[in-house]
Every structure is written in C-alpha cells, then in structure tokens.
Amino acid sequence: MWPNLESLANALISSLVLTHVLAQSPEQLTAQNPCISKPNCHECIQTPSCAWCFDPKRESERPRCFQPAYDINPNQEQCPEEFTYNPDNIMSLVSNMALTEAHGKIGGAGGTIESGYAYSNSSSSSSSSSSSSSSISGGESNWSESGSSQIVQIAPQRISLSLRARQSYSIFMNYTQAEDYPVDLYYLMDLSKSMADDKEKLSLLGDQLAWTMRNITSKFALGFGSFVDKVRMPYVSTVPENLIQPCPGCAAPYGYRHMMRLSKDTCRFSMMVKQAEVSGNLDAPEGGFDAIMQAITCRDQIGWRQKARRLLVVSTDAGFHYAGDGKLGGIVKPNDGECHLDTNGYYTHSSLQDYPSVSQINAKVKKNSINIIFAVTADKTSVYEQLKSHIEGASFATLSSDSSNIVELIKNQYQQISSSVEMRHNASSALSIKFFTRCLNKDGALMNTNKCGNIRVGDIVNFMIQMEVVKCPKDPKDWRETIEFYPVGINETLIVDLEMLCSCPCEQPDSPNYEINSPICHNHGTYKCGICDCNFGSFGRYCECTTEKISQNTTRGCIQPGSPSGLECSGRGSCICGRCECEARGYSERIYGPYCECDDFSCERHNGQLCSGHGVCDCGHCICQAGWSGNNCGCSEAKEECVNPENNEVCSGHGICECGVCKCQVTSEGRYSGRYCEKCPTCSDRCEEFKDCVQCQMYETGPFSKAECLEKCKLFTPIPVDKVVVDEKKNEISCAFYDEDNCRYAFVYYFEAGHFVVRAQEHRDCPPKVFLLGIILGVVAAVVLMGLAIVLLWKLYTTLHDRREFAKFEKERMMAKWDTGENPIYKQATSTFKNPTYAGKS
C-alpha cells in the first residue's frame, strides 16, 4: 500500500513540475507572440490573431497555436489549410425592412452611408419587429391600427452574428423618427384629498389635452387610472367608519383602480375624471409604485398598443412608498411584478404584496418600452428628480398647485422625449458594447455616445455598435445570446442572435479528430485537435508516463553531470520517464540537447539582431560567417571603411583598422583622432603654410608681392565668406592670425576630392585709426578751459564775500546810539564825589 502511495505522490509532483514548466514562457517572447503559450485549441482561438494547427504530422517541438501572419519560416513546412482552424467573424442579415419615410412614404432604408453592409428592402419572416400588434378588445378602444404596424423606425431588425472572442466587430443600425407615430397616454392620478382641485381642473382640460396631442399625431389614445394607498394601518385609517368615508365627501380608500382603457374618446376621459372620487389616507407618502407596476404590466387591460410611443403620466403632490415599507403594515410578501386587476379595475393584491422596488419598476419600464413622466408639485421635485435618474426614459416636470398647466406640461415633455434618442442594450457582462454616432452632423467625427438630440421627423441617425466578447462564459450554454438594441421608449429593436466562438469543432466528440483512449496517447488519453488530453494518472506529451512507471531514480537521467544548478533538464524542460523533453519555443527558436542545455537564441546580439545577423547561434555561441568575427559576429574584417579618401591610406597611416573602425595611434607629436585618424590637435598644422597666400590673395597684404603671390600660391584659391564657421562634418581646420596692420583675419581649410578647400574671412577685423594731434589739442583745450573755469569761480567767490562784508558794515552803522552833537571820546576835567557820612546836613 505505501509504495503505491509513494508512486502516486511522485506522479503528482512530476505533474506539478510539468505544469509549471509548460506554463512558463519568457515575457519578451510572449509579448511578441502571445500564441505560443496556449496549450489547447479553445484557448488559442480566444487569443486574437492566433490559429490552431491540428495536423497529426506536425512536428512535436513546433507549437500548434501560431500566428498565420508570422508563420513564414521557409525552412519549415507550413500547416496545411485543411488542418488549420482560424475562425472569422460572420454576420448575416435576417430581417431588414425599410425605414418609414416622412409623409407616409415607405422607401429604402436610410443612413446606409454609415453601413459596413448594404441594406436590402426585403425582410425575413423571422424578424421579431415585423410581428403585427395585438388586437385591443373593448368597445371604448377598438379602433383601427392599420398603417401603424407598418411603421419602421429601426433598420435592420435582426442580425445573425458569429463573433470570435477578444475581437471587436462593428455593426450598423439606423434610427428615424416616423411621422404620425401612434402615441398612448395613460394618466395615473393621485386621488388623495389634497388633489381634489387638480381632479376638477383635469376634467375640464381633457378635450384640450386630446386636441393638443392630436396636433402631434392623429393616432392618439388616452386612458385614466387613480391610486391612494394600501388599505392597511398605518397607511390608511382602519376604523370602520373611516373605511367607508375617511374624510368629508371622500370615497372609501383603495390602492389602485384602472378607470378607463386607452381610447380616442376624450369625452369619456373627461367624464371618468369628473366622476372619480377623492379619498384619504394617513401618512404622507402614497402608493404610487403599486399603481405604476399595475399600469405597466396589465397591458391587455390598459390597452397598450404594440407599435406606439407609450407615455405614463403620474400626477401627485406627495412622495411614494417602495419595497420594504410594506412591513409597517405587516405585509412581507415581495411584489411579484404581475398583473392583479379584477373586473372592476381594482388592484386585488394591494394588501397582500409589498410595494415594488425601484429596480423592479425600471425593469418593467425597459421591458415594455414606456416613458414615465412624473408631474409633481414644486415641493416634491427634488425627490422625483432623484427617482427619474434610476428609471430608464423617465422625466419629471413641475405641476402647478391646481394642475392647470398639465396640458402644456405633457406637450413639452413629449417633445423633449420624441426629439431625442438614447440607445440601450441588454447584453451580458461577457460582452463589451460601445455606441458611436455622428448624430445629425454627417461631416463630423464619430463620437462615443448613445444619445442624440434635436431630432425631427424624417431625420436619420446612424449608429455604429462596436461589440467584443471580453470573456467566454464558463457554461457553453451561455455561448449563444440574444441581444436587443433599442431606443428608450420605442417598442422596436435590433435583435442580434450572437454565437460566441469560444471552442473548436475538433474538441467535440462528433469530430473525426476526436478519439477517446487513442493509441497515439498510449491508450491513456483522448486525442483531440492533434494533442493528447491525458486521463488521471497519466501525463506526458503523449500520455506515455503513468504512476506505475515512476520510481525515485527516474529523474537522475535528466540532470546534467557536473551541473552547478543541479536542475532537471537545466530548468528548461520536463523530465518524462527519465528523459528530458525540452520546452517548445517559437518557429525559429528551439531548446535542445540531452539535458536541454543548448539553445539557438541565447547568443550575443548587436543592433537587436542575433549574432549581428552575420552568424548562427549554436548552443549559446555565435558561429560567424566569412569576413566577420567577434563574440557577436559584429566585427567586419574588411578595411574599406577605414581608408581615408584624402590619401587612400588605411587610417591615414596613423592607426589600425579593427571591426571597420580606426583605432588611432599616440605619437611623440601628439594624439591622432577623427574617423580616419586625420586629426591631431597637438600636432603642427598647415595654418602657417597657408597664411601668407591667404593674405596676398584676399587682402593684397603680407610679405608676397603680386607676382610672388601668383607664383607661390597655386595650391588653392580662398572662398570669401562673411564669417568663418568651422564645419566639423568636413573635418575643417581653423586658423587665425594678425597682420602687420594689427588686423585679425581667419580662415579654415579641409581636403576634399584631391585638393584643398579654403574659406577665408572676406574683410579683416582692423582696429580703428587714432588721431593723436586731435587728442593732444583736446587735452590742452580741456586744461585751459578748466583753468578759466577755476579763475571765474574764484572771482565770483571773492566778489560775493566783499559784498556780504560791506552790507554788514552798513547795517551796524545804521544801528549806532550815540549823540551825534557830542564827541563821545571827550571827558571833562572836573570830578564830583559824594561823602557818604555827610548825609546832606548843613
């Protein structure tokens, strides 16, 4: 028992190693060719641009999943066409009735300018959109629909498409707004007590509403229904007397009542609205969702026509109950979304089922192509604005306090709805769907949008629908899907019968290339699509290994002796029953050797080419062609690229040629450089040799006379230029000197086609001449002028000082205090003294 368990464990380990090794692929190679790593046919064809070869004679080392565009190796035999499976996308028209033209004329399908296929005027009997509308029974709405069933606003109507996974495909459809298209308008009114004045106003405006809509279409039908709320606490008072009359002048409460079938009889509409009685409830929200669900699902009772634009106008001044609110009244059964009306039009399951959810309402609206218009009072617009964003094709408008604007409101909302188109689809998540259109701008660019506005009767809008199967569903039953593309609110669709090409015919049991327990697979696997699908307990490319053949020593023959890594098959293969089976690579690449130690793609590369394109890679080493050498065969042994055309010498005699490139020498004069080692910045150049000739030829100066210039300067004739700029591409040498006039001149020279070319500065850069006498005279004059200026300033200063002193003297003289009649210097000779002791006694 234990040996068997050990054998089984070894088998599982080997299987895991095999799976891991086979799953590995170099990232760079996979990025260049994603087909190589695909192990079976269905994974191969789910990869774009890949094809599967199920040829039994195909070489085992060559991958069966390949890219036909690149499988062009002339050294290998190509996969025969009869054994190649590379499915294409196939589209066929099933039904394509012509679009209805304006003025009632039926013509060819419009908008074919966008089509990738021509629209025919014939239609298949299998078209779902060609089915006639169901007849509407009942005396009040039994009018003729002749002509309406022939109106076509979508073309084509049905397409059959086989689409390959992960490949995008575009189909085209046209939409037009037909003239005089039928309109069904069902008015659903909140008849709680607060809406009493609105009811009276609506009964008076019934004829005006009908007249307004008939100006839009002659095929207009009008219906009426009302709602209050569930007859349960806490929605409605269940006190016995309140169940009879919840408020003065009120009728008994009810959930929803269908009162008038869709009809052209506007007088009956006004009468039914006038006869309808208001009722009362307790809480603020109403049971509008119950009424909406019944108005949508009870198609026969309401009288919705098959070919008509369906409008459901919900008029209310309150909020709404939705799924979950029924628990307040002890109602826990979810809404089933079915019709439950009795013969009198009452909703029979109002107290038995919960309110519907928003998503249920949205699903029914989409299924029945109905546009809901919420006509609500100003205080409730914010609530219904959020609600309409969750219901396809819904809109809302503000209702006046007494509903006097209802006619204009409906007209405006209808015009907004009918003048735009919004395309939708019901495809599963396995598909990626994108809409592109130019709307009405035929010369504009395609826009990634499913909406167009400002559409008038007769306009044709072209849509391009891009489809892609992003992933194949796990269940093959889901590989077939019926997709509907439809404009919101219009009961016409483009139906696409889609088949996802997710598997290969050779993988099916009824294929001749399918064989269970095939001898090719050693009777241990199923042979299909050219490969073996091994049974449990068997593995290997041809299921040649089983658990009985596994032993502990079978892997020793797969390890290269002396290998430092010690990996089986050098880590690039699988050890199958003691023998290495190397990994499969591309068409021109392979791994080989008894231990998978060799390959023909791991050699050095140059300029992105293996062995520079001048050799063959053998076991990791480049074997170069004649005339090439080096580890990557990138060195050319030819010396033509090193010959200097100036002197026809290899590297100008100053270097050696290696790999077509000169390696220059370093001499006592200096270091040579340049492509041909023709430059030596530190060596002496020929500037000194050429300067005298440049002087005499360009400026008629220098040591040479005219005769000497003609005799000695025959090597070149300078080319005059305004400014000398060195052109490094021509290996020009720059020279500059000063002549006897202290003028600077420059020139460059280079060797070309066996002679020297000299470009010299046309005009010398000479310093301006200096007039010395003028400078001296100017200095003298400046000194004299400065002296005169100093004298004048001194004279001015002394004059001002004298005048200031004289003025001061005059001022002091004028202020003298002595008597002008006496001499202030004279004093008398007599002196008088007083005796202080005498005190005046005689």
Side-chain angles (χ1 to χ4, degrees):
M1 179 177 180
W2 290 109
N4 291 334
L5 289 176
E6 186 177 1
S7 300
L8 181 60
N10 289 333
L12 292 175
I13 292 172
S14 300
S15 299
L16 291 173
V17 172
L18 174 62
T19 303
H20 176 71
V21 171
L22 292 177
Q24 290 178 339
S25 181
E27 294 181 0
Q28 183 179 3
L29 183 62
T30 304
Q32 295 176 352
N33 187 354
C35 307
I36 294 177
S37 61
K38 306 306 175 184
N40 49 52
C41 187
H42 63 268
E43 291 186 23
C44 180
I45 66 165
Q46 291 178 24
T47 306
S49 74
C50 294
W52 184 264
C53 181
F54 55 94
D55 184 8
K57 299 180 181 179
R58 190 173 179 88
E59 299 173 0
S60 59
E61 65 272 7
R62 296 186 64 194
R64 292 189 175 272
C65 188
F66 66 99
Q67 287 179 304
Y70 298 99
D71 191 21
I72 53 176
N73 190 344
N75 299 324
Q76 294 178 336
E77 186 179 352
Q78 308 305 306
C79 183
E81 185 176 354
E82 62 271 18
F83 292 109
T84 301
Y85 185 64
N86 187 20
D88 291 327
N89 301 321
I90 301 175
M91 189 278 299
S92 61
L93 287 171
V94 179
S95 177
N96 185 29
M97 291 189 297
L99 290 173
T100 301
E101 294 185 348
H103 310 297
K105 296 180 181 180
I106 307 297
T112 55
I113 57 173
E114 294 293 335
S115 299
Y117 41 82
Y119 287 155
S120 64
N121 290 331
S122 61
S123 63
S124 171
S125 60
S126 62
S127 171
S128 64
S129 60
S130 63
S131 60
S132 60
S133 59
S134 58
S135 60
I136 303 176
S137 59
E140 71 271 15
S141 59
N142 188 21
W143 70 90
S144 172
E145 292 190 47
S146 62
S148 65
S149 61
Q150 299 300 319
I151 293 177
V152 178
Q153 298 183 116
I154 293 291
Q157 295 80 42
R158 199 175 194 110
I159 289 175
S160 176
L161 178 63
S162 297
L163 186 58
R164 187 170 172 175
R166 296 181 178 87
Q167 284 190 0
S168 61
Y169 189 83
S170 297
I171 61 177
F172 299 86
M173 67 176 294
N174 298 327
Y175 167 81
T176 185
Q177 182 183 343
E179 187 178 32
D180 203 29
Y181 194 71
V183 176
D184 290 345
L185 191 153
Y186 189 79
Y187 197 93
L188 187 58
M189 189 172 187
D190 175 8
L191 281 186
S192 57
K193 181 64 176 178
S194 59
M195 294 288 289
D197 56 342
D198 301 77
K199 179 185 76 71
E200 298 300 328
K201 182 64 67 174
L202 181 62
S203 64
L204 298 175
L205 296 177
D207 290 335
Q208 183 183 348
L209 176 61
W211 180 82
T212 301
M213 295 303 296
R214 284 203 182 93
N215 286 336
I216 298 174
T217 175
S218 62
K219 303 180 180 66
F220 173 66
L222 193 61
F224 178 67
S226 62
F227 64 91
V228 182
D229 210 338
K230 295 183 181 297
V231 188
R232 281 286 188 92
M233 282 290 291
Y235 320 111
V236 171
S237 175
T238 55
V239 177
E241 55 268 23
N242 290 341
L243 289 175
I244 300 173
Q245 190 178 24
C247 52
C250 294
Y254 58 91
Y256 161 69
R257 184 184 180 188
H258 167 52
M259 305 182 70
M260 176 183 170
R261 183 181 174 88
L262 288 167
S263 170
K264 288 187 175 182
D265 190 351
T266 56
C267 294
R268 178 178 172 81
F269 175 81
S270 299
M271 181 183 67
M272 294 299 295
V273 174
K274 189 173 184 179
Q275 290 178 355
E277 295 179 301
V278 296
S279 185
N281 61 328
L282 293 178
D283 61 346
E286 313 291 4
F289 271 23
D290 275 342
I292 293 173
M293 179 61 76
Q294 295 303 301
I296 295 174
T297 56
C298 299
R299 297 183 57 173
D300 293 337
Q301 291 88 333
I302 302 299
W304 297 112
R305 286 177 286 182
Q306 181 71 17
K307 286 292 184 73
R309 187 180 286 275
R310 304 163 184 171
L311 305 180
L312 177 59
V313 181
V314 181
S315 174
T316 183
D317 63 348
F320 49 87
H321 285 294
Y322 52 90
D325 288 354
K327 294 181 180 180
L328 298 174
I331 303 173
V332 296
K333 183 179 180 181
N335 194 285
D336 60 5
E338 300 295 334
C339 178
H340 300 286
L341 295 184
D342 60 14
T343 55
N344 295 322
Y346 285 101
Y347 177 36
T348 59
H349 284 51
S350 176
S351 299
L352 303 177
Q353 292 186 160
D354 193 6
Y355 301 97
S357 65
V358 176
S359 61
Q360 282 181 299
I361 296 292
N362 182 53
K364 292 297 181 181
V365 164
K366 291 167 61 177
K367 181 178 179 181
N368 294 274
S369 302
I370 291 178
N371 291 107
I372 299 181
I373 302 174
F374 294 105
V376 299
T377 53
D379 59 326
K380 298 298 179 184
T381 53
S382 60
V383 176
Y384 284 91
E385 183 178 10
Q386 296 181 41
L387 175 62
K388 65 103 176 178
S389 63
H390 297 284
I391 299 178
E392 185 178 281
S395 60
F396 84 99
T398 304
L399 191 67
S400 62
S401 58
D402 60 352
S403 299
S404 58
N405 66 332
I406 189 64
V407 175
E408 191 67 22
L409 183 150
I410 294 175
K411 176 184 175 182
N412 293 338
Q413 291 299 310
Y414 174 76
Q415 288 177 346
Q416 291 182 19
I417 293 171
S418 61
S419 64
S420 62
V421 59
E422 180 180 358
M423 301 303 301
R424 294 290 182 93
H425 64 85
N426 64 345
S428 67
S429 59
L431 290 166
S432 171
I433 306 291
K434 294 181 181 179
F435 292 92
F436 296 89
T437 180
R438 294 186 174 91
C439 290
L440 299 179
N441 185 8
K442 295 182 179 180
D443 298 327
L446 280 174
M447 300 177 293
N448 184 7
T449 180
N450 63 334
K451 297 180 181 179
C452 285
N454 300 320
I455 300 174
R456 296 174 296 179
V457 173
D459 289 338
I460 297 177
V461 181
N462 309 107
F463 284 97
M464 182 180 79
I465 306 172
Q466 190 178 85
M467 304 175 60
E468 180 181 353
V469 180
V470 294
K471 61 179 179 179
C472 287
K474 294 181 179 180
D475 191 350
K477 295 179 181 179
D478 297 329
W479 293 352
R480 291 184 179 272
E481 186 173 339
T482 300
I483 308 171
E484 293 184 356
F485 297 95
Y486 59 92
V488 174
I490 299 293
N491 191 30
E492 295 186 47
T493 60
L494 164 60
I495 299 176
V496 177
D497 298 314
L498 177 66
E499 178 187 5
M500 305 179 194
L501 302 178
C502 294
S503 66
C504 304
C506 58
E507 292 179 314
Q508 305 304 319
D510 56 351
S511 171
N513 296 291
Y514 188 98
E515 184 179 5
I516 300 175
N517 295 326
S518 170
I520 299 176
C521 303
H522 294 79
N523 300 315
H524 294 298
T526 301
Y527 183 76
K528 54 183 178 182
C529 296
I531 61 174
C532 287
D533 184 11
C534 301
N535 300 332
F536 179 77
S538 300
F539 57 95
R541 186 182 297 273
Y542 298 106
C543 308
E544 65 271 25
C545 289
T546 61
T547 55
E548 289 79 9
K549 296 181 180 179
I550 298 295
S551 64
Q552 294 182 352
N553 298 325
T554 53
T555 60
R556 292 182 179 177
C558 298
I559 300 176
Q560 184 178 10
S563 172
S565 62
L567 294 176
E568 296 178 7
C569 303
S570 303
R572 302 194 295 179
S574 303
C575 186
I576 310 286
C577 298
R579 182 177 58 87
C580 283
E581 185 172 329
C582 301
E583 291 178 3
R585 294 284 295 189
Y587 315 110
S588 59
E589 298 179 346
R590 65 190 185 98
I591 299 173
Y592 57 94
Y595 305 103
C596 302
E597 73 279 9
C598 292
D599 61 63
D600 59 0
F601 54 83
S602 295
C603 296
E604 291 187 20
R605 296 175 183 266
H606 180 65
N607 293 332
Q609 290 185 312
L610 191 68
C611 297
S612 305
H614 302 300
V616 178
C617 182
D618 182 25
C619 205
H621 301 284
C622 286
I623 300 177
C624 302
Q625 299 173 355
W628 297 90
S629 61
N631 294 335
N632 56 12
C633 301
C635 289
S636 173
E637 296 178 355
K639 297 184 179 180
E640 287 79 3
E641 297 293 328
C642 299
V643 176
N644 189 343
E646 180 179 339
N647 49 27
N648 292 325
E649 288 186 311
V650 176
C651 299
S652 303
H654 302 299
I656 57 175
C657 184
E658 292 183 3
C659 296
V661 178
C662 286
K663 290 190 176 181
C664 304
Q665 296 176 344
V666 178
T667 64
S668 57
E669 294 183 356
R671 183 185 183 89
Y672 286 89
S673 62
R675 180 179 178 182
Y676 304 109
C677 301
E678 75 281 9
K679 297 180 181 179
C680 184
T682 58
C683 300
S684 59
D685 49 37
R686 307 186 72 170
C687 292
E688 290 287 342
E689 179 184 348
F690 292 162
K691 73 171 186 175
D692 293 338
C693 290
V694 171
Q695 273 189 280
C696 70
Q697 289 178 323
M698 288 294 300
Y699 317 115
E700 297 182 354
T701 61
F704 292 161
S705 63
K706 289 186 177 180
E708 291 176 329
C709 188
L710 293 174
E711 180 182 354
K712 296 181 179 181
C713 300
K714 298 179 180 179
L715 191 60
F716 60 85
T717 300
I719 301 172
V721 294
D722 291 335
K723 186 177 181 180
V724 175
V725 180
V726 177
D727 188 350
E728 295 181 356
K729 296 182 179 179
K730 296 181 179 180
N731 297 321
E732 293 181 339
I733 305 298
S734 177
C735 306
F737 297 96
Y738 286 90
D739 60 10
E740 60 274 10
D741 297 327
N742 203 28
C743 297
R744 185 184 184 278
Y745 62 97
F747 61 92
V748 294
Y749 71 89
Y750 64 95
F751 191 83
E752 182 180 54
H755 65 281
F756 284 98
V757 177
V758 178
R759 294 187 295 110
Q761 188 174 330
E762 186 174 9
H763 301 289
R764 298 176 297 169
D765 296 329
C766 296
K769 294 183 178 180
V770 180
F771 184 53
L772 294 178
L773 180 61
I775 293 174
I776 295 172
L777 293 176
V779 171
V780 172
V783 171
V784 172
L785 290 175
M786 290 177 64
L788 290 175
I790 292 171
V791 172
L792 289 174
L793 289 173
W794 174 253
K795 181 62 178 175
L796 178 63
Y797 173 75
T798 55
T799 302
L800 292 174
H801 182 269
D802 291 344
R803 288 183 178 181
R804 190 180 298 112
E805 290 296 325
F806 179 76
K808 183 178 179 181
F809 170 77
E810 284 293 322
K811 182 177 179 181
E812 291 178 353
R813 187 176 64 82
M814 293 296 294
M815 295 177 64
K817 299 297 183 181
W818 61 78
D819 186 3
T820 57
E822 294 181 359
N823 187 352
I825 305 174
Y826 174 75
K827 291 186 178 182
Q828 292 181 359
T830 303
S831 299
T832 303
F833 297 94
K834 289 182 178 182
N835 189 353
T837 61
Y838 176 64
K841 297 178 178 181
S842 59

